[in-house]
Amino acid sequence: MSASGTNEFSRPSGRAPDQLREVRIERAFTRHAEGSVLISFGDTRVLCTASVENRVPGFLRGKGEGWVTAEYGMLPRATNTRNDREAARGKQGGRTLEIQRLIGRSLRACVDRKMLGERTITLDCDVLQADGGTRTAAITGAYVALVDAVHWMTKRGDIKPKSGRSAIFGAVAAVSVGIYRGVPVLDLDYAEDSDCDTDMNVVMNDGGGFIEVQGTAEGHAFRAEELAAMTSLAARGVTELVGMQREALGR
Amino acid sequence: MSASGTNEFSRPSGRAPDQLREVRIERAFTRHAEGSVLISFGDTRVLCTASVENRVPGFLRGKGEGWVTAEYGMLPRATNTRNDREAARGKQGGRTLEIQRLIGRSLRACVDRKMLGERTITLDCDVLQADGGTRTAAITGAYVALVDAVHWMTKRGDIKPKSGRSAIFGAVAAVSVGIYRGVPVLDLDYAEDSDCDTDMNVVMNDGGGFIEVQGTAEGHAFRAEELAAMTSLAARGVTELVGMQREALGR
Amino acid sequence: MSASGTNEFSRPSGRAPDQLREVRIERAFTRHAEGSVLISFGDTRVLCTASVENRVPGFLRGKGEGWVTAEYGMLPRATNTRNDREAARGKQGGRTLEIQRLIGRSLRACVDRKMLGERTITLDCDVLQADGGTRTAAITGAYVALVDAVHWMTKRGDIKPKSGRSAIFGAVAAVSVGIYRGVPVLDLDYAEDSDCDTDMNVVMNDGGGFIEVQGTAEGHAFRAEELAAMTSLAARGVTELVGMQREALGR
Amino acid sequence: MSASGTNEFSRPSGRAPDQLREVRIERAFTRHAEGSVLISFGDTRVLCTASVENRVPGFLRGKGEGWVTAEYGMLPRATNTRNDREAARGKQGGRTLEIQRLIGRSLRACVDRKMLGERTITLDCDVLQADGGTRTAAITGAYVALVDAVHWMTKRGDIKPKSGRSAIFGAVAAVSVGIYRGVPVLDLDYAEDSDCDTDMNVVMNDGGGFIEVQGTAEGHAFRAEELAAMTSLAARGVTELVGMQREALGR
Amino acid sequence: MSASGTNEFSRPSGRAPDQLREVRIERAFTRHAEGSVLISFGDTRVLCTASVENRVPGFLRGKGEGWVTAEYGMLPRATNTRNDREAARGKQGGRTLEIQRLIGRSLRACVDRKMLGERTITLDCDVLQADGGTRTAAITGAYVALVDAVHWMTKRGDIKPKSGRSAIFGAVAAVSVGIYRGVPVLDLDYAEDSDCDTDMNVVMNDGGGFIEVQGTAEGHAFRAEELAAMTSLAARGVTELVGMQREALGR
Amino acid sequence: MSASGTNEFSRPSGRAPDQLREVRIERAFTRHAEGSVLISFGDTRVLCTASVENRVPGFLRGKGEGWVTAEYGMLPRATNTRNDREAARGKQGGRTLEIQRLIGRSLRACVDRKMLGERTITLDCDVLQADGGTRTAAITGAYVALVDAVHWMTKRGDIKPKSGRSAIFGAVAAVSVGIYRGVPVLDLDYAEDSDCDTDMNVVMNDGGGFIEVQGTAEGHAFRAEELAAMTSLAARGVTELVGMQREALGR
């Protein structure tokens, strides 16, 4: 399962199987949002902003708790060939809706919504440039923007820490893994993604727990031991990413 | 991990942790479609039809191969409280799109699309009554409808078996698993689904390979060993379901 | 005008000109709705559910009366060739809107809306299989679902019968009639419908009064005496249908 | 049933029960369309244009025959209170679709579509001012615009009369009838329409044949003899209207 | 820059360069609206209605001031070839939205919105026949409809004049200008519009102030002195139009 | 007209009346597009990409010439408070359509479309951060992206220069001007834009010709001499901007 003895194996990028792309996290990338992060996983660049609003969706009105939601978009020419602008087509595609639902669920997993009061934090994740792994970069970056927004709310007094606890518990990050030419690899770029047998997105917290696991056999079906190898590889990647998030947040 | 020694543990339905609901598969439920199956997983009832058309989507035109796709819907009062009709609202929701993408991908995994010629098989999965697990019932039932449609095409001469091989290789079935009150359980009904910590949908083939794994932590994050226990439970469920599919198909 | 002396005349189905198809009415077909009826007019099968909600449309708010409305849909493969799913196309077609408006008007004609209080009963009529006459089957079945829902409301105490009167007065049923090869015939199936000169849908109450009459000349225009023959034939059909509704309701 | 002996009976407009409103038909109201007619039934004013295009809908392509279709609209302030503009709301309502389908069917009943060749005539009926009976005015006016367009096509040589026959056979006109305070009345205006027991729209040809009959009981259900009285009244109204169409066309 | 010495120059219509088309303003064209004006600039005919409603958009609620807005539409066959009906296509095009925004802004420039109270005046401008300059005709006619509506509100006591001042200050009118074959010309018709180098729409008040200036180089870019010549020509045209508005209003 | 002698006058930004904000033009900001420019006018930052595709809109098919079009978008949190995502609302707003039509027209003014062949260049202008003047920044930046795309096409041989002429003639740039507290000022930022009397967007070429002039009186109407002062100020601004474009392009 390990690539160590495979002389011929090489990734298109030349990375080791368990090696992340270069990750950069730039806070305060734009100035209006309560949190604004430009995250790069190699050539994949996603702008994640967190916006705080004093309202909640209808189903939460009057319940004294808040909401965290996400929207995802890709600029038309973030990709190799131009995609139609979803605003012009008049609807968001299935892939977009699927991804933004995933981002929202993932980040709600680390928020104490009661502490937010009746407020909504919207995480807008807009892909400026795509090279595979946009949803995992979006989750990892949106977490940082979310922390900044919660910090802003706490400074304003909108959130009162309870017994010193923040409204954010733990950290959340995500990474993709796959089976590329028979070898489990971490953090697929586009070249690998479009040519691999299995593609899996894994969202975890900093305690090593799984929040979301979404694996798809692109070619042949995968076995239980491949699943185990991939999730174990993802766990190592997420540990590294959580360290980078901490560093970016100056903790 | 097994519940056998847990005296206090019981599922709302009284089922054993590794027990499926009663599954019924009724072929030729309606008369127009090339395949038409009413599948029940307990109180969940999904009508799955397979329709054959002599056209393919634009991106496949002229390539000499076929397409398999799915659409999913839920009658407005399939559920406990009435949901808006998607046709009246003017769009399919994110959940619907996500599910129909999953069904389509899952079934394409067992079809030799070259053998179909430039034809499309559309699997319409409409939920008449919902009690949890509609997407896994849909995949399991749609497989049977698909086999019927391919059989119909073969009898007409639209498909010519190559060296005796059918255009369908293997079988595909799906089941949900979850962690309910600390115990991994198979085939969640609505009562369990809305009260469990983790919910996972697993699509597999009859060779024990995974086609899709989608797990979500609803409450606390789950651990690698819980993931392993769940996928192993799913594998047992899928084996049973594949047997029922075979029986329904009279093989 | 009568077919009695026409030796050569025969309907595709072999029925007598004034003979209904076999009608079956199955109550409690699904379990969540307050009324749930599967009605069959021969091969035409429509699932009619009645849903009670504690709200009324804006134009009735604060007026102390209720509303009865209908929605109609056809599963994509209810017909001989697959139709686009309206939810996927993003709008309901003109035929669908026309039919659901007709169903709603027809059933409002037998309800004392003041007695409902500020509640809405929505009748969802979904065609599982089509063979002509889906709108008349829908009206006839929706009436039974409506009675069940009003019964449920009465048992809960939402409706208080006034001087022993129910909120439903009389019964409503519908049938199609047409001129097929010069002969007025009752309850057209698809083969007759697509090959007849005139097609008329008639909604009546159990007192022999007309609620809706919608006749269309498909081929040549029809005469006053043909109109009279058709409405008289419809009256006989509705009388039979009302009897079947009563029987199904155990009255 | 007749109002002759009813001393107290009077219509809001003071008209006799069998009296049409003043009808005006103005041809060439606008200059671009191949037929352009402003028709007034009293205060109801509808602009009907006929546009000829060298194309047919997909289902007719290559069949060598033409198509006649209609679209209907109402200016936002054609009515007493302003209605939302359908273009701004992003869809046509059910009433609009129902009416334009009726207009299209009615006029196709008098056209030999083979003689049109692969051309489409679109009848746009836009209500400038509404006072009841907009759909019947639209049908009556659209017929005149259609004749003008067919004449234009014939002059251009697009249509070649066969054995001297025009592509239009007979005339088509429409009128509403109803039961107002127990009396059958012809050509309801808005005051009557909103206060009558039964409302019926009748489309007929100049041979006295019925093309469409659409009757709705607004209050109590109507009886067979009321239906007969209404259709007979409609027949008289249509005869008058056909005379006015002829006069307008200078025949 | 003047055409006076240009012997060869002539406009398609034979008008002098600074000559408006024949303008007609017909008040009370329809009877329901609070203001209803049919305005003609030559063959361009626009029906402008003003509707008063006791509500304001959300952003003004509770602020004690009113709103003035516009909607614009063109009948499908107002033009030489038929355009799709925007209601049927399901959205208003960019041109339509641009024009209705312009009309709304232009007329808000002459209204004291505080004096309206929390009421909205909607100006519906529907083009019955188009021959160039529909937006400028619409603005000029909508002003007259607006004055009528404000007069109606004042008579009802909805508006109380302050120190004798009306809620309308000044007059607003609009005209197009362009460079046609090198000569600045006033009030372009369609023949000129589709063949000119520069097209400019100018909205002004009766004090000679500019409210909107929108100029577009269709062919070669225009110079500062051409801009000055065009705006000066527009000012003369607007002065004439304001005179006609006054006359129509009987002032 | 100059503010030099006005001791009290100052702009919120402290700039001189005729001073542009700091402008930065960064080419190749993303890697997939044929032209990709991040342009900043102070805190306004717009990503402009040019995409080349081998197809033209229907109305140009078979005519041997190309098309240049633009789309405009604003990230939801580019502004001070979050705006709804247009893709989620299901349509582009009027302001968006108006701006993208302006950008497209402006850039078509400097392209020889015959030389492009049957190809389309789409300019996507997405605002990452807004502080006034997004449309003028977009036009100025899109020009640079367009030049890069045409250069790429020329290098590939898609475009063959004719007699040494490029497919781009001249340069196009845009700037806003306004009357702020009585003084004409150049390049308004958001603070000025929301508090000025007149706001004008001016698009010019490098020969000093006007391509588009769009002026709106926000407060009082403006006079001919104010219009002249503003366009003259704009001309100076555009001259500077054209110099920066040249420098960015290395010419």
Side-chain angles (χ1 to χ4, degrees):
Chain A
M1 199 73 357
S2 153
S4 50
T6 314
N7 287 337
E8 317 86 302
F9 176 79
S10 81
R11 302 176 69 172
S13 59
R15 282 186 280 147
D18 60 355
Q19 190 182 347
L20 292 171
R21 288 177 283 181
E22 187 190 2
V23 173
R24 273 174 301 127
I25 299 176
E26 184 175 349
R27 284 162 70 204
F29 183 74
T30 56
R31 74 170 207 209
H32 296 299
E34 284 73 44
S36 174
V37 167
L38 181 72
I39 190 163
S40 311
F41 276 31
D43 273 344
T44 289
R45 284 151 73 184
V46 186
L47 174 52
C48 309
T49 60
S51 296
V52 179
E53 288 167 301
N54 286 323
R55 51 167 196 74
V56 285
F59 68 91
L60 284 179
R61 234 163 266 156
K63 302 208 170 156
E65 59 184 292
W67 188 238
V68 174
T69 188
E71 294 195 2
Y72 172 91
M74 206 183 247
L75 296 194
R77 196 56 197 281
T79 43
N80 197 39
T81 55
R82 188 177 182 273
N83 293 300
D84 284 348
R85 185 177 289 267
E86 290 187 324
R89 274 195 306 155
K91 64 174 178 179
Q92 295 178 293
R95 180 183 171 277
T96 294
L97 291 171
E98 196 171 309
I99 292 176
Q100 70 190 18
R101 284 158 56 90
L102 171 66
I103 301 171
R105 280 200 310 273
S106 297
L107 291 169
R108 282 194 293 278
C110 72
V111 177
D112 182 336
R113 295 196 287 108
K114 290 236 181 286
M115 289 177 68
L116 300 184
E118 294 214 351
R119 291 183 191 88
T120 294
I121 303 177
T122 302
L123 299 157
D124 285 290
C125 300
D126 287 275
V127 179
L128 304 188
Q129 187 171 274
D131 186 35
T134 63
R135 78 189 73 187
T136 51
I139 291 168
T140 305
Y143 171 77
V144 178
L146 174 65
V147 170
D148 275 337
V150 165
H151 189 61
W152 179 88
M153 291 165 82
T154 308
K155 268 173 49 183
R156 275 169 58 105
D158 285 348
I159 296 177
K160 315 232 176 299
K162 281 192 281 193
S163 343
R165 276 198 310 104
S166 157
I168 305 281
F169 42 86
V172 167
V175 75
S176 71
V177 282
I179 310 278
Y180 180 73
R181 314 221 160 155
V183 179
V185 293
L186 184 67
D187 188 22
L188 286 68
D189 57 28
Y190 180 74
E192 290 167 329
D193 195 16
S194 47
D195 187 32
C196 72
D197 281 328
T198 298
D199 177 17
M200 179 170 277
N201 293 295
V202 180
V203 186
M204 300 181 74
N205 63 21
D206 56 346
F210 292 95
I211 291 169
E212 289 273 343
V213 171
Q214 298 195 337
T216 297
E218 306 275 351
H220 71 86
F222 54 92
R223 321 295 314 179
E225 55 277 16
E226 289 174 312
L227 174 59
M230 286 189 287
T231 50
S232 149
L233 197 54
R236 287 164 58 183
V238 165
T239 301
E240 278 191 70
L241 290 167
V242 166
M244 292 170 194
Q245 288 174 329
R246 265 195 204 118
E247 192 177 350
L249 286 162
R251 294 181 172 178
Chain B
M1 199 72 354
S2 154
S4 51
T6 314
N7 288 335
E8 317 87 301
F9 175 79
S10 80
R11 300 175 71 170
S13 60
R15 282 186 281 148
D18 60 354
Q19 190 182 349
L20 292 171
R21 289 178 282 182
E22 187 190 1
V23 174
R24 274 174 300 127
I25 300 175
E26 184 176 349
R27 284 162 70 204
F29 183 72
T30 54
R31 75 169 207 210
H32 295 300
E34 284 73 45
S36 173
V37 168
L38 182 71
I39 190 162
S40 311
F41 275 33
D43 273 344
T44 289
R45 284 152 72 185
V46 186
L47 174 52
C48 310
T49 59
S51 297
V52 179
E53 288 167 300
N54 287 322
R55 51 167 196 74
V56 285
F59 67 91
L60 284 179
R61 234 162 265 155
K63 302 208 170 157
E65 61 184 291
W67 188 237
V68 174
T69 187
E71 294 195 1
Y72 172 92
M74 206 183 246
L75 296 195
R77 196 55 197 281
T79 44
N80 198 39
T81 55
R82 186 175 183 277
N83 293 300
D84 284 349
R85 186 177 289 267
E86 290 187 323
R89 275 195 305 155
K91 65 174 177 178
Q92 296 178 293
R95 180 183 170 277
T96 294
L97 292 171
E98 196 171 309
I99 292 176
Q100 71 190 19
R101 285 159 55 92
L102 172 66
I103 301 172
R105 279 200 310 273
S106 297
L107 291 168
R108 280 194 294 277
C110 72
V111 178
D112 181 335
R113 296 198 284 108
K114 289 236 182 287
M115 289 176 68
L116 301 183
E118 294 213 352
R119 293 184 189 87
T120 294
I121 303 177
T122 302
L123 300 156
D124 285 290
C125 299
D126 286 276
V127 180
L128 304 189
Q129 187 171 273
D131 186 36
T134 63
R135 78 190 73 186
T136 50
I139 291 167
T140 306
Y143 171 77
V144 178
L146 174 65
V147 170
D148 275 337
V150 166
H151 188 60
W152 178 90
M153 291 166 82
T154 308
K155 268 175 47 186
R156 275 168 59 104
D158 284 349
I159 296 178
K160 317 231 174 301
K162 280 192 284 192
S163 343
R165 277 199 308 104
S166 156
I168 306 280
F169 43 84
V172 166
V175 74
S176 72
V177 283
I179 309 278
Y180 179 73
R181 314 220 160 157
V183 179
V185 294
L186 184 67
D187 187 22
L188 285 69
D189 57 27
Y190 180 74
E192 289 168 328
D193 193 18
S194 48
D195 187 32
C196 72
D197 281 328
T198 298
D199 178 16
M200 179 170 279
N201 293 295
V202 180
V203 186
M204 299 182 74
N205 62 22
D206 57 345
F210 293 95
I211 291 169
E212 288 273 343
V213 172
Q214 297 196 337
T216 299
E218 306 276 350
H220 72 86
F222 54 94
R223 320 295 315 177
E225 55 276 17
E226 289 175 311
L227 175 58
M230 286 190 287
T231 49
S232 147
L233 197 53
R236 286 163 58 184
V238 165
T239 301
E240 279 191 70
L241 290 166
V242 166
M244 292 169 195
Q245 288 173 329
R246 265 193 205 123
E247 192 177 352
L249 287 163
R251 293 180 173 180
Chain C
M1 201 70 359
S2 153
S4 50
T6 315
N7 288 334
E8 317 85 307
F9 176 79
S10 80
R11 302 177 68 172
S13 59
R15 282 186 281 149
D18 61 355
Q19 190 182 347
L20 292 171
R21 288 178 283 181
E22 187 189 2
V23 174
R24 275 174 299 128
I25 300 176
E26 184 176 350
R27 284 163 70 206
F29 183 73
T30 55
R31 74 169 209 212
H32 295 300
E34 284 73 44
S36 173
V37 167
L38 182 71
I39 190 163
S40 312
F41 276 32
D43 273 344
T44 289
R45 285 151 73 183
V46 186
L47 175 53
C48 309
T49 60
S51 297
V52 179
E53 288 167 299
N54 287 321
R55 51 168 195 73
V56 285
F59 67 91
L60 284 180
R61 234 162 265 155
K63 302 210 169 154
E65 60 184 292
W67 189 238
V68 174
T69 188
E71 294 195 0
Y72 172 92
M74 206 183 246
L75 296 194
R77 196 54 196 282
T79 43
N80 197 39
T81 56
R82 187 176 183 274
N83 293 299
D84 285 348
R85 185 176 290 268
E86 290 187 323
R89 274 194 307 155
K91 65 174 177 179
Q92 295 178 293
R95 180 183 170 276
T96 293
L97 292 171
E98 196 171 309
I99 292 176
Q100 69 190 19
R101 284 158 55 92
L102 172 65
I103 301 172
R105 278 199 312 272
S106 296
L107 291 168
R108 282 194 293 277
C110 73
V111 178
D112 182 335
R113 296 198 284 108
K114 290 236 182 285
M115 289 177 69
L116 301 184
E118 294 213 350
R119 291 182 190 90
T120 294
I121 304 178
T122 302
L123 299 158
D124 285 291
C125 300
D126 286 275
V127 179
L128 304 188
Q129 188 171 275
D131 186 35
T134 63
R135 78 189 73 185
T136 51
I139 290 167
T140 305
Y143 171 77
V144 178
L146 174 65
V147 170
D148 275 337
V150 166
H151 188 59
W152 179 89
M153 290 166 83
T154 308
K155 269 173 49 183
R156 274 169 59 104
D158 285 349
I159 295 177
K160 316 233 176 300
K162 280 193 282 192
S163 345
R165 278 199 308 105
S166 157
I168 305 280
F169 42 85
V172 167
V175 75
S176 70
V177 282
I179 310 278
Y180 179 73
R181 312 214 163 160
V183 178
V185 293
L186 184 67
D187 187 22
L188 287 69
D189 57 27
Y190 180 74
E192 290 168 327
D193 195 17
S194 47
D195 188 30
C196 72
D197 281 328
T198 299
D199 177 17
M200 178 171 279
N201 294 294
V202 180
V203 186
M204 299 181 75
N205 63 21
D206 55 347
F210 293 95
I211 292 170
E212 289 272 343
V213 172
Q214 297 195 337
T216 299
E218 306 275 352
H220 71 87
F222 53 94
R223 321 293 316 176
E225 56 275 18
E226 289 174 313
L227 174 59
M230 285 190 286
T231 50
S232 149
L233 197 53
R236 286 163 60 182
V238 165
T239 302
E240 279 191 69
L241 290 167
V242 167
M244 292 171 194
Q245 288 174 329
R246 266 194 203 119
E247 191 177 352
L249 287 162
R251 293 181 173 177
Chain D
M1 201 71 358
S2 154
S4 51
T6 314
N7 288 334
E8 317 88 300
F9 176 79
S10 79
R11 301 177 69 171
S13 59
R15 281 185 281 148
D18 61 355
Q19 190 182 350
L20 292 171
R21 290 177 281 181
E22 187 191 1
V23 173
R24 274 174 300 128
I25 300 176
E26 184 176 351
R27 282 163 72 205
F29 184 74
T30 55
R31 74 169 207 211
H32 296 301
E34 283 74 42
S36 172
V37 168
L38 182 70
I39 190 164
S40 311
F41 276 31
D43 274 344
T44 289
R45 284 151 74 184
V46 186
L47 175 52
C48 310
T49 59
S51 298
V52 179
E53 288 167 300
N54 286 322
R55 51 168 194 72
V56 285
F59 67 91
L60 283 180
R61 234 162 266 155
K63 302 207 170 156
E65 59 185 292
W67 189 237
V68 174
T69 188
E71 294 196 0
Y72 173 91
M74 205 183 247
L75 296 195
R77 196 56 195 281
T79 44
N80 198 39
T81 55
R82 187 176 183 275
N83 293 300
D84 285 348
R85 186 178 289 269
E86 291 187 322
R89 274 195 306 154
K91 65 174 175 178
Q92 295 178 294
R95 180 183 170 278
T96 294
L97 292 170
E98 197 171 309
I99 293 175
Q100 70 190 20
R101 285 159 55 91
L102 172 66
I103 301 172
R105 278 200 311 273
S106 297
L107 291 168
R108 281 194 293 278
C110 71
V111 178
D112 181 336
R113 297 199 282 108
K114 290 237 182 284
M115 288 176 69
L116 300 183
E118 295 213 350
R119 294 185 187 86
T120 294
I121 303 178
T122 302
L123 299 157
D124 285 290
C125 299
D126 287 274
V127 179
L128 304 189
Q129 188 172 274
D131 186 35
T134 63
R135 78 190 73 184
T136 50
I139 291 167
T140 306
Y143 171 77
V144 179
L146 175 65
V147 170
D148 275 337
V150 166
H151 189 62
W152 178 89
M153 291 165 83
T154 308
K155 268 172 51 184
R156 275 168 58 105
D158 285 349
I159 296 177
K160 317 230 175 301
K162 280 192 284 193
S163 343
R165 278 198 307 104
S166 157
I168 305 279
F169 43 84
V172 167
V175 75
S176 71
V177 282
I179 310 278
Y180 179 73
R181 313 221 162 155
V183 178
V185 294
L186 184 67
D187 188 22
L188 286 67
D189 59 25
Y190 180 74
E192 290 168 327
D193 193 18
S194 49
D195 187 32
C196 72
D197 280 330
T198 299
D199 178 17
M200 179 171 279
N201 293 295
V202 181
V203 186
M204 298 180 75
N205 62 23
D206 56 346
F210 293 94
I211 291 169
E212 288 272 344
V213 172
Q214 298 196 337
T216 298
E218 306 276 350
H220 72 86
F222 54 94
R223 320 296 313 178
E225 55 277 17
E226 290 175 311
L227 175 57
M230 287 189 286
T231 49
S232 147
L233 198 53
R236 287 165 57 184
V238 165
T239 301
E240 279 191 69
L241 290 166
V242 166
M244 294 171 193
Q245 289 174 328
R246 265 191 205 123
E247 192 178 351
L249 287 162
R251 294 181 173 180
Chain E
M1 200 73 357
S2 154
S4 49
T6 314
N7 289 333
E8 317 88 300
F9 176 79
S10 81
R11 301 176 69 172
S13 59
R15 283 186 280 149
D18 61 355
Q19 189 182 348
L20 291 171
R21 289 177 283 181
E22 186 190 1
V23 174
R24 274 174 299 129
I25 300 177
E26 183 175 351
R27 283 163 71 205
F29 183 73
T30 55
R31 74 169 208 212
H32 297 300
E34 284 74 43
S36 173
V37 168
L38 182 71
I39 190 163
S40 311
F41 275 32
D43 273 344
T44 288
R45 285 151 73 184
V46 186
L47 174 52
C48 309
T49 60
S51 298
V52 178
E53 289 167 300
N54 286 322
R55 51 169 195 70
V56 284
F59 68 90
L60 283 179
R61 234 162 265 156
K63 301 208 170 156
E65 61 184 291
W67 188 237
V68 174
T69 188
E71 294 195 0
Y72 172 91
M74 205 183 248
L75 296 194
R77 196 56 197 280
T79 43
N80 197 39
T81 56
R82 188 177 183 272
N83 293 300
D84 285 348
R85 186 177 289 268
E86 291 187 322
R89 272 196 307 156
K91 63 175 177 179
Q92 295 178 293
R95 181 184 169 277
T96 294
L97 292 170
E98 196 171 309
I99 292 176
Q100 70 189 18
R101 285 159 55 91
L102 171 66
I103 301 171
R105 278 200 312 273
S106 296
L107 290 168
R108 282 193 293 277
C110 72
V111 178
D112 181 336
R113 296 198 285 108
K114 290 236 182 286
M115 288 176 69
L116 300 184
E118 295 213 350
R119 292 184 189 87
T120 294
I121 303 177
T122 302
L123 300 157
D124 285 291
C125 300
D126 287 274
V127 179
L128 304 188
Q129 188 172 276
D131 186 35
T134 64
R135 78 190 72 186
T136 51
I139 291 167
T140 306
Y143 171 77
V144 178
L146 175 65
V147 170
D148 274 337
V150 165
H151 188 61
W152 179 89
M153 291 165 82
T154 308
K155 268 173 51 183
R156 276 168 57 105
D158 285 349
I159 296 177
K160 317 231 176 300
K162 280 193 282 193
S163 343
R165 278 200 306 105
S166 156
I168 305 281
F169 42 85
V172 166
V175 75
S176 71
V177 282
I179 309 279
Y180 180 74
R181 314 222 160 153
V183 178
V185 294
L186 183 67
D187 187 24
L188 286 68
D189 57 28
Y190 180 74
E192 290 168 328
D193 194 18
S194 47
D195 188 31
C196 72
D197 280 329
T198 299
D199 177 16
M200 179 171 280
N201 293 296
V202 180
V203 186
M204 299 181 74
N205 63 21
D206 56 345
F210 292 96
I211 292 170
E212 289 272 343
V213 172
Q214 298 196 336
T216 298
E218 306 276 351
H220 71 87
F222 55 94
R223 321 295 313 177
E225 56 277 17
E226 289 175 310
L227 174 58
M230 286 189 285
T231 49
S232 148
L233 196 53
R236 288 164 58 184
V238 166
T239 301
E240 279 191 69
L241 290 167
V242 167
M244 293 171 194
Q245 288 173 328
R246 265 195 205 119
E247 191 178 353
L249 287 162
R251 293 180 174 179
Chain F
M1 199 71 358
S2 153
S4 51
T6 315
N7 288 336
E8 317 88 299
F9 176 79
S10 80
R11 302 176 70 172
S13 59
R15 281 185 281 149
D18 61 356
Q19 189 182 348
L20 293 171
R21 289 177 282 180
E22 186 190 2
V23 173
R24 274 174 300 126
I25 299 175
E26 184 176 350
R27 283 162 72 204
F29 183 73
T30 56
R31 73 168 207 209
H32 296 300
E34 284 73 44
S36 173
V37 167
L38 182 71
I39 189 163
S40 311
F41 275 32
D43 273 344
T44 288
R45 283 151 75 182
V46 186
L47 174 52
C48 310
T49 59
S51 297
V52 179
E53 288 167 299
N54 286 322
R55 51 168 196 72
V56 285
F59 67 91
L60 284 180
R61 234 162 266 154
K63 302 209 171 155
E65 60 184 292
W67 189 238
V68 174
T69 188
E71 294 195 0
Y72 172 92
M74 205 184 248
L75 296 194
R77 196 55 196 281
T79 44
N80 197 38
T81 56
R82 187 176 183 274
N83 293 300
D84 285 348
R85 185 177 290 268
E86 291 187 322
R89 274 196 306 156
K91 64 175 177 178
Q92 295 178 294
R95 180 184 170 276
T96 294
L97 291 171
E98 196 171 309
I99 293 176
Q100 69 191 19
R101 284 159 55 90
L102 172 65
I103 301 172
R105 277 198 312 272
S106 298
L107 291 167
R108 280 193 294 277
C110 72
V111 178
D112 181 335
R113 296 198 284 108
K114 289 237 183 284
M115 288 177 69
L116 299 184
E118 294 213 351
R119 292 183 189 88
T120 295
I121 303 178
T122 302
L123 299 157
D124 286 290
C125 300
D126 286 275
V127 179
L128 304 189
Q129 189 172 274
D131 186 35
T134 63
R135 79 190 72 185
T136 50
I139 292 167
T140 307
Y143 171 76
V144 178
L146 174 65
V147 170
D148 275 337
V150 166
H151 189 59
W152 178 90
M153 290 165 83
T154 309
K155 269 174 47 185
R156 273 168 59 103
D158 285 349
I159 296 177
K160 317 231 173 302
K162 281 194 282 193
S163 344
R165 277 198 307 105
S166 156
I168 306 278
F169 42 86
V172 167
V175 75
S176 72
V177 283
I179 309 278
Y180 180 72
R181 313 218 162 158
V183 178
V185 294
L186 183 67
D187 187 22
L188 285 68
D189 58 27
Y190 180 74
E192 289 168 328
D193 193 18
S194 48
D195 188 30
C196 72
D197 281 328
T198 298
D199 178 16
M200 179 172 279
N201 293 294
V202 180
V203 187
M204 299 180 75
N205 62 23
D206 57 345
F210 293 95
I211 291 169
E212 289 271 342
V213 172
Q214 297 196 337
T216 298
E218 306 274 351
H220 72 86
F222 54 94
R223 321 295 314 176
E225 56 276 19
E226 290 175 311
L227 175 58
M230 286 190 288
T231 49
S232 148
L233 197 52
R236 287 164 58 183
V238 165
T239 301
E240 279 192 66
L241 290 167
V242 166
M244 292 171 195
Q245 288 173 329
R246 266 195 204 120
E247 190 177 354
L249 286 163
R251 293 177 174 182

